[in-house]
Amino acid sequence: ISVNTTDQKQGLGCLETFGKGPVEFAKTFSETFSIENATTLEFWYYVSDVTKLDANGQVELTSSGGPDDKEYAWTLTNLVNGWNNIVLKFSEAGITGGTPDLSKINFFRFYRYKNDDVTSRIDGLKFGGLSALADAGPDQTITDDNDDGIEPVTLDGSGSIGPNGLIASYSWKEN
């Protein structure tokens, strides 16, 4: 696996593999993470030549630390040469080895058998359907000590969670 910084879909780079090997991308996470409210797994997937792909292969997400146990699995179809926008619904996933614990996800694998060398890339991996949560910190009552109409207030939005776990910006207004 290498980082490609010249043909990515988002950000500064994407992960790239080249060859015939079946495992394209795999990661065991040392700490679990929660995707309890997610409805989709989304990412960009690049294939240099789809005619060299075997029909077998899948995307896997587990809470067991490895494949084939407490696993969600999806098979990708209708791929084209170049970038493919992939949206996989949890409601349409196959389940292997028992239902995964969405509060303890710790393994991701994407594999596909090939009949010749293929370049593949993955970019913009995210979980969709997550609700945003705005948290500006605890409620505060401010007293204007000198009656000038100005008092400093500190707001902390670090407890906020945006869709897909990202916060694009903070904006405050006075009520």
Side-chain angles (χ1 to χ4, degrees), residues 46-67:
Y46 173 91
V47 181
S48 61
D49 187 347
V50 296
T51 64
K52 297 178 180 179
L53 301 178
D54 188 11
N56 296 321
Q58 63 185 19
V59 176
E60 303 168 337
L61 193 63
T62 80
S63 60
S64 66

Side-chain angles (χ1 to χ4, degrees), residues 149-170:
I150 301 172
E151 289 297 322
V153 176
T154 301
L155 300 175
D156 178 3
S158 63
S160 300
I161 300 171
N164 304 318
L166 303 174
I167 298 292
S169 65
Y170 295 101

Side-chain angles (χ1 to χ4, degrees), residues 22-26 41 43 45 53-62 66-77 79 86 88 92-97 107-114 122:
V23 176
E24 295 186 88
F25 305 98
L41 171 61
F43 56 93
Y45 177 56
L53 301 178
D54 188 11
N56 296 321
Q58 63 185 19
V59 176
E60 303 168 337
L61 193 63
T62 80
D68 305 325
D69 185 28
K70 297 181 183 172
E71 171 185 276
Y72 281 114
W74 301 265
T75 300
L76 299 185
T77 59
L79 297 172
I86 307 298
L88 304 171
E92 296 174 357
I95 296 177
T96 303
F107 181 79
F108 170 82
R109 180 171 76 161
F110 185 177
Y111 73 90
R112 178 174 293 277
Y113 294 94
K114 305 163 199 80
I122 191 168

Side-chain angles (χ1 to χ4, degrees), residues 64-153:
S64 66
D68 305 325
D69 185 28
K70 297 181 183 172
E71 171 185 276
Y72 281 114
W74 301 265
T75 300
L76 299 185
T77 59
N78 302 317
L79 297 172
V80 298
N81 290 342
W83 285 104
N84 296 267
N85 186 25
I86 307 298
V87 179
L88 304 171
K89 296 179 181 178
F90 283 96
S91 61
E92 296 174 357
I95 296 177
T96 303
T99 303
D101 183 345
L102 292 179
S103 69
K104 297 180 180 176
I105 296 299
N106 59 3
F107 181 79
F108 170 82
R109 180 171 76 161
F110 185 177
Y111 73 90
R112 178 174 293 277
Y113 294 94
K114 305 163 199 80
N115 54 39
D116 203 350
D117 288 338
V118 174
T119 298
S120 59
R121 300 181 186 118
I122 191 168
D123 200 1
L125 184 68
K126 63 184 177 182
F127 296 99
L130 296 175
S131 300
L133 170 66
D135 182 355
D139 290 343
Q140 301 177 49
T141 301
I142 307 302
T143 303
D144 188 358
D145 293 329
N146 59 4
D147 294 322
D148 66 354
I150 301 172
E151 289 297 322
V153 176

